[in-house]
Amino acid sequence: MKEVYREKCPARCTIFRWCQRYEAGRVNIKDFLCPGQAHVVTNSTTISAVDEVMRQNRRITTREIAVELSISKGTVHHIIHNKLGYGKVCAHWVPKHLSENQKTARMGVCLIQQFLH
C-alpha cells in the first residue's frame, strides 16, 4: 500500500482499527454522530433575532443574548461583530459604520450639547 499511496497511506494502527470494527459487525463507513453541543447554523432568522434583542436593550451582554436565544456565546459574538457590524461603546452596542443620516443626527446632538455647556 505504501508504494501505491505513498504519504497518503493510512497508518497500520488505523487499518487494524478498521478491521476490528468490521469484525465487530460494523459495515457502514460513515462516521457516527458524536455527542456534544448541537451546531447552530448562522442563518437570517438567528441574525434577525439577535438584532431584535439588541435593539430592545442596547446594554445587553452577549451572554444574556445567548441565554435568551439558546445559542452559544461564540455564535452571538460572530453575529454581532461580523454579520451586524456592531461594536461596544460606553456599554452600548452601536453600529461600526454609520449612514449619512446617522452621522447628521449625531452631529446635531453634539452641537446641542456643546451649546448647552
Side-chain angles (χ1 to χ4, degrees):
M1 280 181 67
K2 286 186 178 184
E3 290 177 11
V4 175
Y5 293 109
R6 300 181 194 242
E7 66 273 351
K8 294 184 181 182
C9 181
R12 286 182 61 166
C13 60
T14 303
I15 295 170
F16 288 137
R17 193 174 330 117
W18 291 344
C19 291
Q20 287 175 344
R21 290 178 184 167
Y22 178 77
E23 289 171 358
R26 182 175 177 186
V27 292
N28 189 353
I29 61 170
K30 293 185 179 181
D31 291 333
F32 289 132
L33 293 176
C34 297
Q37 185 176 7
H39 180 72
V40 176
V41 178
T42 305
N43 55 28
S44 60
T45 307
T46 309
I47 293 171
S48 61
V50 170
D51 191 33
E52 182 63 32
V53 169
M54 288 180 56
R55 288 180 188 272
Q56 291 173 0
N57 180 6
R58 292 282 184 177
R59 290 183 175 263
I60 196 166
T61 64
T62 55
R63 178 176 291 160
E64 292 169 342
I65 294 171
V67 169
E68 186 172 330
L69 298 177
S70 300
I71 56 179
S72 70
K73 288 189 312 180
T75 302
V76 172
H77 184 271
H78 175 75
I79 290 171
I80 290 172
H81 292 282
N82 298 339
K83 299 292 184 178
L84 297 175
Y86 283 97
K88 235 1 160 94
V89 176
C90 297
H92 285 261
W93 290 108
V94 294
K96 290 182 182 177
H97 304 288
L98 300 176
S99 67
E100 289 302 319
N101 292 341
Q102 291 170 326
K103 290 178 184 178
T104 305
R106 284 195 178 189
M107 182 62 83
V109 170
C110 291
L111 291 174
I112 291 171
Q113 292 294 326
Q114 188 176 23
F115 287 122
L116 291 177
H117 290 281

